[in-house]
Amino acid sequence: MPLNLSVPVLDSMRHLYTWFFRLMLPLMLLHLWWRGRADPNYRKRWSERFGLVPSRPGTRRRWRERFGVVPDRASRAPLIWIHSVSVGETLAAVPLIKELALRHPRWQWLVTTTTPTGSQRVHNALDPILNGRLLHYYLPFDLPECLAPFLDALRPNILVSMETELWPNLLATCNKRGIPAVLVNGRLSAKSAKGYGRFPRLTRDMMDHLSKIVAQYPADAERFVALGMPAEQVVAVGNIKFDLHIGSGLESEALVLSHQWRGASKRPVWLAASTHGGEDEVILEAHQTLLREFPDLLLVLVPRHPARFDSVARLCRERDLALVRRSDKRVPGADDRVLLGDTMGELLRFYGVCDVAFVGGSLAPVGGHNMIEPAAWGVPVVCGPHLHNFSTVASLMQEAGGLVVVNDAAELATQVSAWLRDEALRDDAGARGRAVAEQNSGALARTVEEVEALMPR
């Protein structure tokens, strides 16, 4: 009997992916349960991950739909779906949402994330802005049986995915339902492109189901095109993270913190932000070296993930470093040597207090985190060598002299010491980084235009 080859090869690859995902689902659930040991929020709201959410008002199927009468989508307020995996992508999405919400006050907003920290950040940043126009859920598992009830209940008009969030079944399901999908602030490192290239048919399938890619830089755009995205559907506009506005209110809050933390002695402060496992030990070793030269130096240490707050606190105590936790709402005393940033949503404010900033995910092979935020404050930045997630931004700042790359605790201590000793040198490096941030702004306006153009008329 001849084989039935009627199913396209691209679809068959996605079907293979789907069945593999189903087989792995028990392990994914076990992983969520395991992570719940440190953060109980991972054990909550599992129904959302299976796509089970309440119907949005105006979308519930009525009996007349059985007879082919479907409510006109245009008669309802448009629902814009933004997917940002976690904190970093959510922070990038906030200014985009703010600008679009200002221009289109009738639009409703659905924001999905995959982590509890991303969820908390969504509500903290957007609830005050959207005034009841915000829905937030976890992204369902990338399975048709999980995505279908989710889309039935909410019926978004467009999917705007942030940076690198590409899911085969999500894109295929949206395409089948006529929902445009756009990737904005898209970035694709050479390393990630190589990974996608190992599955060319599945990757091309995803490219076929995207309406547009608004990439950060030409190099990102070229990699997307090489993976199968039509060149006419890709545009490079820059990184919207450069469009960071530090208002007077935030400046005032940072000034208050600076007075509290520095005290009458005007003690120096350096910040280690978004650190990962393996980096904290290096930072604390560098801090102990720096304390020999600057005995009253305060380190503000902010781990990337809340689940690590307690373990980082133990590391400090094991090294006999007097510690105060931000969550204790106590001002660091003269004898405190480390302030543990164990709260959410305050990092941008902390950058405005420090003299020097180390940005994590760079000594560990993570790929780096957002060094634009300290640059926007005029704070000189030091990072480790692993910066592939921010390769273009890092190159621009390094060439300008606003960023220095180090490899270990000794180099980190040497660089921080040099900037703490010489205020003029420190201010010059900070000004160079700020100039890069200012010169590369403007991507937000272009991104807004691209999203508006894809909204169904």
Side-chain angles (χ1 to χ4, degrees):
M1 181 176 180
L3 291 173
N4 181 1
L5 299 178
S6 60
V7 178
V9 174
L10 294 180
D11 281 352
S12 67
M13 290 301 299
R14 180 157 34 86
H15 292 161
L16 182 63
Y17 159 84
T18 300
W19 278 106
F20 179 76
F21 199 114
R22 287 173 180 145
L23 291 172
M24 294 298 294
L25 191 57
L27 292 179
M28 295 177 187
L29 296 173
L30 182 62
H31 176 68
L32 289 175
W33 184 262
W34 181 261
R35 295 194 71 174
R37 295 170 66 245
D39 184 351
N41 288 311
Y42 277 99
R43 296 180 177 178
K44 300 176 182 177
R45 299 165 54 188
W46 279 19
S47 61
E48 295 175 20
R49 300 187 187 271
F50 289 93
L52 303 177
V53 298
S55 293
R56 183 167 65 107
T59 63
R60 190 180 299 277
R61 292 182 181 271
R62 296 183 174 88
W63 65 271
R64 68 176 186 273
E65 291 180 339
R66 299 178 185 175
F67 301 94
V69 181
V70 181
D72 181 10
R73 181 177 288 188
S75 68
R76 304 191 309 268
L79 180 66
I80 290 59
W81 178 7
I82 307 280
H83 176 58
S84 55
V85 59
S86 190
V87 176
E89 292 78 7
T90 301
L91 291 174
V94 167
L96 176 63
I97 295 171
K98 282 183 178 179
E99 183 63 25
L100 284 168
L102 183 64
R103 294 164 64 114
H104 304 278
R106 184 169 168 267
W107 287 6
Q108 304 288 317
W109 297 90
L110 165 66
V111 180
T112 53
T113 62
T114 60
T115 67
T117 51
S119 174
Q120 184 178 347
R121 191 69 184 114
V122 165
H123 285 295
N124 291 346
L126 295 176
D127 279 339
I129 300 165
L130 297 178
N131 297 318
R133 291 186 288 152
L134 172 68
L135 294 172
H136 171 265
Y137 298 111
Y138 289 132
L139 181 74
F141 291 123
D142 194 39
L143 293 170
E145 58 268 31
C146 298
L147 294 165
F150 187 81
L151 292 175
D152 284 341
L154 299 173
R155 297 192 188 179
N157 293 76
I158 189 172
L159 168 62
V160 180
S161 198
M162 300 298 300
E163 298 201 1
T164 57
E165 279 298 286
L166 297 173
W167 294 94
N169 283 320
L170 172 61
L171 295 176
T173 305
C174 285
N175 180 263
K176 185 177 180 180
R177 292 172 177 244
I179 301 171
V182 55
L183 183 72
V184 305
N185 215 40
R187 59 180 172 87
L188 190 65
S189 68
K191 180 180 179 181
S192 296
K194 185 177 180 180
Y196 280 118
R198 294 192 181 100
F199 306 95
R201 292 172 178 171
L202 188 62
T203 299
R204 184 175 290 275
D205 183 48
M206 291 193 294
M207 299 297 114
D208 287 344
H209 293 144
L210 278 166
S211 301
K212 190 92 176 191
I213 292 179
V214 185
Q216 294 183 9
Y217 298 105
D220 299 297
E222 290 169 6
R223 293 181 188 119
F224 282 117
V225 171
L227 289 175
M229 189 70 183
E232 64 273 14
Q233 292 173 228
V234 184
V235 59
V237 303
N239 190 337
I240 63 176
K241 291 180 179 179
F242 277 117
D243 289 82
L244 175 64
H245 175 66
I246 298 174
S248 58
L250 193 61
E251 289 178 343
S252 298
E253 293 170 5
L255 185 61
V256 170
L257 282 183
S258 182
H259 287 313
Q260 292 176 347
W261 294 357
R262 295 180 189 276
S265 64
K266 305 294 183 183
R267 68 191 300 189
V269 177
W270 76 295
L271 168 68
S274 300
T275 61
H276 289 253
E279 294 185 313
D280 304 287
E281 294 86 349
V282 176
I283 289 157
L284 292 175
E285 181 181 344
H287 186 52
Q288 289 179 305
T289 300
L290 288 163
L291 285 170
R292 301 186 194 116
E293 184 177 2
F294 308 96
D296 61 344
L297 178 63
L298 178 67
L299 166 64
V300 182
L301 180 54
V302 185
R304 177 73 172 180
H305 298 113
R308 297 184 55 251
F309 290 160
D310 290 340
S311 62
V312 174
R314 284 194 296 272
L315 279 176
C316 295
R317 295 189 183 101
E318 287 169 4
R319 292 174 176 263
D320 294 323
L321 290 167
L323 172 78
V324 59
R325 298 178 70 140
R326 175 67 173 165
S327 59
D328 291 338
K329 299 180 180 179
R330 182 169 67 83
V331 175
D335 295 330
D336 289 316
R337 293 293 171 261
V338 179
L339 170 62
L340 181 64
D342 60 348
T343 54
M344 297 297 294
E346 292 197 286
L347 183 56
L348 185 57
R349 186 180 299 111
F350 291 171
Y351 280 128
V353 179
C354 66
D355 298 302
V356 177
F358 167 83
V359 179
S362 57
L363 284 170
V366 174
H369 292 300
N370 186 4
M371 67 279 294
I372 298 170
E373 292 181 344
W377 280 100
V379 174
V381 181
V382 59
C383 291
H386 302 286
L387 295 169
H388 52 266
N389 288 337
F390 285 83
S391 56
T392 302
V393 175
S395 295
L396 290 171
M397 288 185 56
Q398 201 171 0
E399 290 168 7
L403 165 68
V404 171
V405 173
V406 300
N407 294 288
D408 53 35
E411 291 183 8
L412 177 59
T414 298
Q415 185 56 54
V416 174
S417 172
W419 276 334
L420 291 179
R421 282 197 316 267
D422 192 329
E423 183 178 358
L425 184 67
R426 180 173 74 243
D427 289 347
D428 180 66
R432 289 171 182 270
R434 177 185 282 161
V436 171
E438 292 172 349
Q439 291 164 7
N440 286 273
S441 62
L444 179 60
R446 291 283 308 279
T447 303
V448 166
E449 292 173 1
E450 296 290 347
V451 173
E452 288 177 328
L454 286 169
M455 280 295 291
R457 304 298 180 188

